């Protein structure tokens, strides 16, 4: 099968993160097994979702891993003029949810894997397809555990998130957390007899902004990013029941998007200390601010001079490198397994997560060409 034929199949699987990806995984698994490829499926606890890992070629060498996620973001509430889960070809563009992020790369990788299965590779090719990437790189962690226990690790990894085929060496890490501010309810006519949790939350947000200002002013800077420093942002707030009740609880969801050289847990400690000061200043026994981290993944900062960067540049013909604003699974592969990673894939993330998401046919062709160059190298050995 060719890239576009495979893409058409992949787009038709409605693999929104909240739903099962098993139909897609079974399709890919059948496709590879029919070509004689050995496939491992790593299911989650419910059996509704799974990662897939496949190796073509020798099993006693590290080889090159192509990595991508099977899940897509929802289409609910978006104004699509094309069918979201049906590939539409129009004026050199392929429309559909996931065309850019990132089933285009998966399709190109699978088409190349089918070609690879007919050849005698000196260096192995690995395919890693994950689930639940879009909700914080959750699913890939069990695949990483499996690789961690394996005797040999991939020598290089290409995470095919959309970079318009540029070679990206870095992205920021993320820590997502919830602060629960606790006060004491009272009749609003007697407001000072209670402790207003929304007011505590306002002070907490003030502390987040002070720490952000300090990071922007005095923290590490990396000019390769659109925003050159570590950022903190409060994205959701919820508290209060009625205007005439002093609220006893308010929650704030916030995140840290850190440069790989900044330590997100250390910044979180700073935030917790600021919260403790706010609570102590109330001098009220009901006061509290508890912080719970619900997701975290590391940043990526692959050195420009590393072998994986030279190798992937030689496949794509890229001269320079770039860094991307969005997070990927590459940080986890690098941190947990020590596998050198770059992010390089077809399409532009500016088109991802939007209605009428599409990928240019030229981008798919460029990816096919780069993966053909990879295949040629795997045949002679790297
Ligand atoms: Zn993605």
């Amino acid at each position: 099968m060719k890239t576009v034929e495979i893409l058409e199949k992949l787009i038709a699987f409605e693999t929104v993160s909240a739903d099962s990806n098993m139909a897609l995984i079974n399709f890919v698994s059948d496709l590879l097994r029919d070509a004689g490829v050995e496939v491992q499926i790593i299911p989650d606890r419910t059996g509704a979702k799974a990662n897939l890992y496949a190796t073509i070629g020798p099993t006693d060498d590290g080889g090159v891993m192509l990595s991508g996620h099977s899940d897509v973001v929802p289409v609910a509430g978006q104004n699509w003029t094309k069918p979201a889960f049906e590939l539409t070809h129009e004026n050199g563009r392929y429309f559909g949810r996931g065309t850019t992020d990132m089933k285009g790369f998966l399709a190109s990788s699978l088409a190349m894997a089918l070609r690879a299965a007919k050849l005698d590779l000196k260096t192995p090719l690995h395919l890693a397809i994950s689930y639940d990437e879009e909700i914080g790189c959750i699913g890939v962690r069990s695949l990483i555990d499996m690789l961690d226990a394996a005797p040999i690790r991939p020598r290089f990894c290409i995470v095919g998130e959309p970079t318009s085929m540029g070679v990206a060496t870095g992205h920021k890490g993320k820590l997502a957390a919830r602060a629960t501010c606790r006060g004491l309810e009272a009749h609003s006519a007697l407001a000072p007899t209670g402790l207003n949790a929304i007011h505590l939350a306002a002070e907490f947000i003030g502390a987040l902004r002070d720490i952000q200002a300090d990071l922007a002013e005095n923290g590490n800077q990396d000019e390769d990013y659109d925003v050159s420093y570590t950022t903190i942002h409060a994205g959701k707030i919820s508290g209060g029941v009625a205007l005439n009740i002093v609220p006893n609880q308010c929650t704030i969801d916030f995140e840290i998007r850190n440069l790989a050289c900044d330590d997100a847990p250390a910044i979180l400690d700073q935030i917790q200390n600021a919260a403790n000061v706010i609570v102590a200043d109330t001098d009220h026994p009901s006061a509290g601010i508890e912080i719970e981290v619900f997701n975290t993944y590391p940043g990526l900062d692959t050195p420009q001079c590393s072998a994986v960067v030279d190798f992937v540049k030689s496949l794509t013909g890229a001269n320079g490198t770039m860094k991307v604003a969005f997070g990927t699974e590459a940080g986890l592969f690098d941190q947990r397994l020590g596998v050198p990673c770059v992010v390089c894939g077809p399409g532009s993330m500016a088109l991802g997560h939007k209605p009428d998401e599409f990928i240019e046919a030229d981008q798919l062709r460029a990816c096919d060409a780069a993966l053909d160059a990879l295949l040629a190298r795997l045949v002679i050995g790297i």
Side-chain angles (χ1 to χ4, degrees):
M1 281 176 99
K2 295 210 165 76
T3 297
V4 171
E5 288 172 80
I6 298 173
L7 182 59
E8 187 170 12
K9 298 278 189 194
L10 297 182
I11 293 299
F13 296 112
E14 299 191 18
T15 52
V16 174
S17 309
D19 302 326
S20 172
N21 74 337
M22 288 313 298
L24 181 148
I25 291 294
N26 289 334
F27 164 76
V28 171
S29 160
D30 289 348
L31 191 66
L32 292 171
R33 282 177 178 150
D34 287 350
V37 178
E38 199 175 308
V39 175
Q40 293 178 72
I41 291 177
I42 305 137
D44 75 350
R45 257 181 258 127
T46 68
K49 298 177 186 178
N51 296 306
L52 181 149
Y53 192 75
T55 296
I56 299 164
T59 51
D60 58 350
D61 184 14
V64 177
M65 177 164 73
L66 302 179
S67 159
H69 59 84
S70 61
D71 58 321
V72 296
V73 295
V75 297
Q78 294 190 341
N79 192 15
W80 282 70
T81 66
K82 310 258 189 313
F85 296 105
E86 189 185 312
L87 193 67
T88 305
H89 186 201
E90 216 174 271
N91 300 326
R93 294 173 169 180
Y94 291 99
F95 292 84
R97 170 58 86 225
T99 43
T100 280
D101 185 13
M102 58 179 289
K103 290 176 172 175
F105 177 79
L106 291 184
S108 184
S109 301
L110 286 164
M112 186 275 238
L114 295 179
R115 295 194 294 282
K118 294 184 187 137
L119 301 172
D120 191 16
L121 304 189
K122 277 216 169 53
T123 300
L125 171 74
H126 311 279
L127 293 181
I129 301 179
S130 68
Y131 65 91
D132 282 358
E133 188 274 348
E134 293 288 5
I135 54 173
C137 301
I138 307 287
V140 74
R141 292 166 204 247
S142 62
L143 190 150
I144 287 174
D145 290 341
M146 189 270 288
L147 290 175
D148 195 23
I152 295 175
R153 286 170 195 193
R155 184 162 148 201
F156 297 143
C157 172
I158 302 172
V159 174
E161 294 278 2
T163 60
S164 303
M165 293 308 292
V167 179
T169 58
H171 65 72
K172 291 181 181 177
K174 181 169 111 168
L175 184 152
R178 172 167 299 165
T180 302
C181 304
R182 299 188 196 283
L184 181 68
E185 60 271 70
H187 192 298
S188 64
L190 304 169
T193 64
L195 181 69
N196 191 315
I198 291 179
H199 292 187
L200 273 187
E203 288 186 54
F204 178 77
I205 291 171
L208 293 182
R209 298 189 66 186
D210 288 346
I211 294 168
Q212 169 69 98
D214 183 51
L215 284 165
E217 183 82 4
N218 306 311
N220 289 310
Q221 303 281 334
D222 184 339
E223 301 297 339
D224 288 341
Y225 288 105
D226 290 341
V227 178
S228 59
Y229 47 85
T230 292
T231 59
I232 301 174
H233 130 105
K236 197 175 164 195
I237 184 164
S238 168
V241 175
L243 187 54
N244 60 359
I245 304 173
V246 173
N248 69 354
Q249 185 170 308
C250 183
T251 60
I252 301 146
D253 291 357
F254 66 98
E255 65 175 23
I256 302 168
R257 296 269 185 168
N258 61 293
L259 296 175
C261 61
D262 277 344
D263 182 11
I267 295 168
L268 188 68
D269 283 348
Q270 215 183 330
I271 292 170
Q272 182 67 67
N273 290 339
N276 295 345
V277 170
I278 292 166
V279 169
D281 283 351
T282 66
D283 203 20
H284 195 294
S286 299
I289 301 177
E290 290 135 33
I291 297 176
E292 166 204 2
V293 174
F294 51 83
N295 184 244
T296 175
Y297 60 74
L300 177 74
D301 196 5
T302 301
Q304 309 278 326
C305 57
S306 59
V308 66
V309 174
D310 284 343
F311 180 69
V312 179
K313 279 163 76 177
S314 77
L315 303 178
T316 65
N319 292 320
T321 60
M322 59 194 285
K323 289 182 181 172
V324 288
F326 53 87
T328 81
E329 296 169 341
L332 282 167
F333 284 124
D334 177 75
Q335 190 194 58
R336 291 273 322 277
L337 299 172
V339 175
C341 291
V342 294
V343 184
C344 177
S348 161
M349 195 55 114
L351 303 170
H353 297 206
K354 287 184 179 170
D356 291 343
E357 176 180 349
F358 69 87
I359 192 165
E360 304 274 358
D362 283 349
Q363 280 289 306
L364 285 178
R365 278 192 285 272
C367 186
D368 285 345
L371 294 184
D372 264 338
L374 170 61
L375 183 54
R377 298 287 293 276
L378 298 177
V379 167
I380 56 171
I382 59 168

